[in-house]
Amino acid sequence: MREGLPHIVLSGFNEKEKFRSKSIGRNPEIPIQDRHSHGVGILTSYNEAISQGNSRKQATVSITSESGIYLEVISVPSCQLQLDSLDTTKSYSLKSLHIEGDREIAVIFVPDNKRQDFSNKLVAYLNPEKDVINKKTSIASPKNRKLIDSIEQIRLASLRSFWTDKPSTYPRNDQEIIWWEVWVNWSDKAGTPLEIANNLAERIGAETTQSYLTFFKTAVFLIKCSAEQLQSAPELIGNLSELRRAQASPNISITLGATDQHELATNLHQRTTFTTSSKTSVCILDTGINYNNPLLSLTCSRDKSDCWDASWQHFDMYGSGTAYNDHGSRQAGLVLYGLELQELLFSNGSFIAPYHIESARIFPQVGVNDPKLYGAVTVDTANKIEITNPDWNRVYSMAVTAEPSGPTGYPSSWSAEIDYFTSGYQDEKQRLFIISAGNNQTLTPHTDYWDQVNLSEIEDPAQSWNALTVGACTFLTTIDDPTFNNWSAFAHPGDISPSSRSSLQWAWRKQAPYKPEVVAEGGNRLLSPNRQELSDADCVSLLTTSGRSSGLLLETTKDTSAASGIVSRDAGILTSEYPNFWPETIRGLMVHSANWTNQMFSRYGLLQKEHNSTTAKETMLRTVGHGVIDIDKARHSADNLLTLISQEQIQPFTKDPGKESKATDAKLNEMMLYELPWPIEILQSLQDTNVKLKVTLSYFIEPNPGRKGYRSRYSYQSHGLRFEVIRPEQSLPNFKKFVNGLTTEDGEDYSGPEGDNSGWHFGPQLRKRGSIHSDYWQGDAAQLAKMNYIAVYPVGGWWKYKTSGESWRKNARFSLIVTIEAPEEVSDVAVDIYTPVQTLVDLSVSV
């Protein structure tokens, strides 16, 4: 059997078709209120709020050009507010939305000259002569009923109204001094947000910084003051959107200790070959890398290093008498050597380094950064690195996380800036970011490690949609250190690493991506004989490079930092081997190749007994993701393992001719239909043989970071994509009708999809979270022979709506990866599904 074959990249075998969604969204019912008492009550509360606002505004003069009043609109219990009606742009605008208990609370801005507009809606609601007749039922209902009946109360907004972080993180008293993240609506035409920041700071006697972030229609800056000082901000700033607590210093997990000899490192250095002409790099955003360590010096150098602050040293010097933190150097060793360093040190074989390592220092030598926005620090440093070699293909690796201050799973300024940077919004250059999930620092021997992982929530900024988030698993259970006689491994081999984190308890779990997407070796813990103590001994940690230039050049490391280093190495290998593959494709290949270990499948079996199958699968996805990457499968195909790759783009949204310039929402536009080159005859000959089909769809989104609830039109993602595969017994016309709403408009009967859709592991409902969707089907080869049609189609996002300006015109890139896996032999005959497909593709190219 041939192995190591290149993946087959498809050109063609698809066509675009006009598209309309078939799904019909359902919103919770809005209770019918007593028109008079409810309407009068809401109108009274509205007028009282306006009157209170007038009294408060008399003593202030607005900093911004627009002057108005902020109001809180509170929903009736268990009911969604009508966000579309609360954000009319011309009259009043929605600033934020959060949930308290069973109520939604929206903050809206009402300009001074538009106050009557909302009153008019209430007056129309109360007037029976304005009733609206339902055409289907002929029943009359008050005008604006859904909007008004969903509201329980309107009141003047306070400073706390703009708080979108965890309620418990709000200042304990009005005099407590903290750094605030101030979020404002913004546009490029408005100039720099620093003008507002400086004016606000001067007016209220606060401190500010010269750092800020800008997103799509959003800017963020920092103010240091008390709540008492900031109380007047809603009256001073007419475009205030939300307030959050500025992020605390990120928590880096570091294991000290070293075990090895300088001679081994020097010998390996002499056996290492590096191609200086390589245009692939893994850039490590961390504490800096000691490129003078002989194990790192061939791939990293001063010319490949930079710092966020130009006055910082590139790395900390051991024994210099100042602080020493070599976390970045330890990451570099894993990125370069992975799990092979021990074997390489004690062998005589050669080692080839296929990519550069770049060092981007984002931490100072002493103390922590000023509370500047970590998104700006991260991306500004990455931009510095790109200046020297702008044409390199880079993988960004960051094992730095912080405990989230806001609702877990929600985008933060940090994670949103990474999404913004990776999406290519500013320069049309997409980038691959790999981030560790964060570590549980409070492990206890008294609780099952699986439960501890499930209760430890993934940290900021690893909730980034575009980044590949890495958790930790472990196979390290051997105890060869006599110091730990009679101790035992805490985690079973092939299971989650005890210190890893999950997204199972995220507050935003229903909408957030599955995180981590993959796991890698992160070391284990040892449990004492009396089961009262845990140890992170060297024997269950990973060997790597230290931050020293001589002497003890090796160190140990562990946890999700180590795991993200290993996955970054996989990404570097793939990027160097396939320089024309998009970052979306590299990310997709790694997830596509990943599988659960036997121990993970055992966990899944236990969860199925305790819960239903859907809950068990989601628990696994939010704990171990898609499992452990198989780098060989990610790199190459084989005779019995065929991988097809398509890099394409569609325009998800459009407007009708003549309406392009009107302030109306766009509509869904087109889909891509694939008729894949399929080894039909070979598959048919393998009847009664079990085979596997795996499909992965990978794309990047543009973020909309403001916390407006992230539902309906206010979604975080710019767009979404989905895939569907034709069923074994489904005709092509029926498949098109099943996927595309336009195909059922020809008058022909459609009673639902034909054929059986069983065999998929996750299914279309579970696989739809985030911006990477992966699933696999197992069944008879003769059935798979009929499954060669795949549709990729769009779903909604903020690009679609009129508030996005011209974003509806944009194209969306995606990578579709499809693999067929068959046994190597059937009845002692070698199986070759690769050659017939390669022949079909070559013939298509020649034609």
Side-chain angles (χ1 to χ4, degrees), residues 102 200 238 249 475 552:
D102 59 355
L200 178 61
S249 178
F475 293 87
L552 299 177

Side-chain angles (χ1 to χ4, degrees), residues 653-657 659-667 805 808:
F653 308 112
T654 190
K655 287 189 177 183
D656 291 329
K659 297 183 179 180
E660 292 89 348
S661 60
K662 294 184 178 180
T664 56
D665 291 345
K667 62 182 182 179
W808 61 269

